[in-house]
Amino acid sequence: MEARTPRVAILISGRGSNMEAILRNVRAGTLACEVALVVSSRPEAGGLERARALGFPTAALDARGLSREEFDRRLRALLEPLRLDWLVLAGYLRLLTPEIVRRYRDRIVNIHPADTRLHQGLHGYRWAFERGLASTWVTVHLVDEGIDTGRILAQAEVDLAGARTVEEVERRGLAVEHRLYSEVLGQLFQEESTEGGAP
Ligand code: GRF
């Protein structure tokens, strides 16, 4: 079968440091995929500017005043013509509706700043810091209908020894996230290009 390059959209809501790490690897040729769009659920997200500066197409949907269902209908309408193989969530702060999860079943990936079996939802680094953990694990997982409940694809340990502030915990964690996410995506995309794309 002819190899094909996976087409992906990256979904963000804020700063976009994970997105930027991915885009830099795509630009450098060390992560083989076509980023068809970076979408933000917040027009003011700093990540949009970062993506534009790197020359990638961006779009913003404004969630204010919209129901979850209406927002995701608009998101689907935006994504559908792009013929995507993967949705890559990178600091995307909204829970996807079951309709989107079904449409891209097992093709939505997220990165979480903790072990998803121990901590779900927001503030994973604060959670680790307040418990005084000696290390924490960041997780790349598939997205299902729950909050950080999808199948774990990979985890990496973050050494927290001597970390005195939550900012330091986050700084160390993000450095690990930035490496791990592209590694895992690279593996997924490689399997994709040898097996064929989305149905
Ligand atoms: C990261 O810690 C990620 O694990 C979590 O949200 C944060 C996003 O940061 N899901 P950034 O926008 O990628 O800088």
Side-chain angles (χ1 to χ4, degrees):
M1 179 177 299
E2 197 185 318
R4 66 196 291 277
T5 307
R7 288 175 61 80
V8 314
I10 304 179
L11 275 58
I12 64 168
S13 297
R15 171 180 63 190
S17 71
N18 275 288
M19 171 216 71
E20 180 168 358
I22 293 166
L23 295 182
R24 287 191 182 281
N25 286 327
V26 173
R27 271 282 167 272
T30 51
L31 180 59
C33 68
E34 192 174 332
V35 179
L37 192 63
V38 171
V39 191
S40 174
S41 64
R42 290 183 177 164
E44 67 278 17
L48 285 172
E49 190 41 50
R50 289 184 181 214
R52 280 195 287 265
L54 287 166
F56 287 87
T58 62
L61 286 173
D62 196 344
R64 278 169 292 197
L66 300 183
S67 68
R68 198 153 75 88
E69 287 67 28
E70 178 54 26
F71 181 85
D72 273 13
R73 258 195 297 279
R74 293 184 191 191
L75 180 62
R76 267 192 76 167
L78 186 64
L79 299 180
E80 202 60 50
L82 301 176
R83 297 175 293 106
L84 298 168
D85 300 299
W86 295 95
L87 302 188
V88 174
L89 275 46
Y92 186 68
L93 293 175
R94 298 177 63 84
L95 183 63
L96 293 168
T97 52
E99 288 69 31
I100 294 221
V101 174
R102 267 200 299 275
R103 168 64 185 85
Y104 296 97
R105 171 74 67 198
D106 291 338
R107 291 182 164 276
I108 312 176
V109 193
N110 184 41
I111 189 156
H112 181 72
D115 181 336
T116 50
R117 292 167 298 196
L118 302 178
H119 178 274
Q120 304 82 31
L122 297 173
H123 309 305
Y125 290 127
R126 177 163 294 285
W127 169 84
F129 177 66
E130 284 172 355
R131 275 156 191 76
L133 301 183
S135 72
T136 193
W137 291 77
V138 297
T139 306
V140 176
H141 63 95
L142 292 175
V143 173
D144 63 12
E145 287 82 353
I147 299 178
D148 302 323
T149 49
R151 181 159 70 82
I152 293 174
L153 297 173
Q155 294 187 306
E157 190 172 19
V158 183
D159 181 6
L160 299 182
R164 291 169 175 277
T165 62
V166 69
E167 289 76 21
E168 173 64 11
V169 168
E170 182 173 26
R171 194 187 60 73
R172 292 189 197 182
L174 283 170
V176 175
E177 288 189 39
H178 296 165
R179 176 181 51 74
L180 180 70
Y181 212 0
S182 286
E183 269 174 27
V184 176
L185 292 174
Q187 283 159 16
L188 284 175
F189 298 162
Q190 204 175 354
E191 290 162 18
E192 170 94 347
S193 55
T194 48
E195 287 170 10

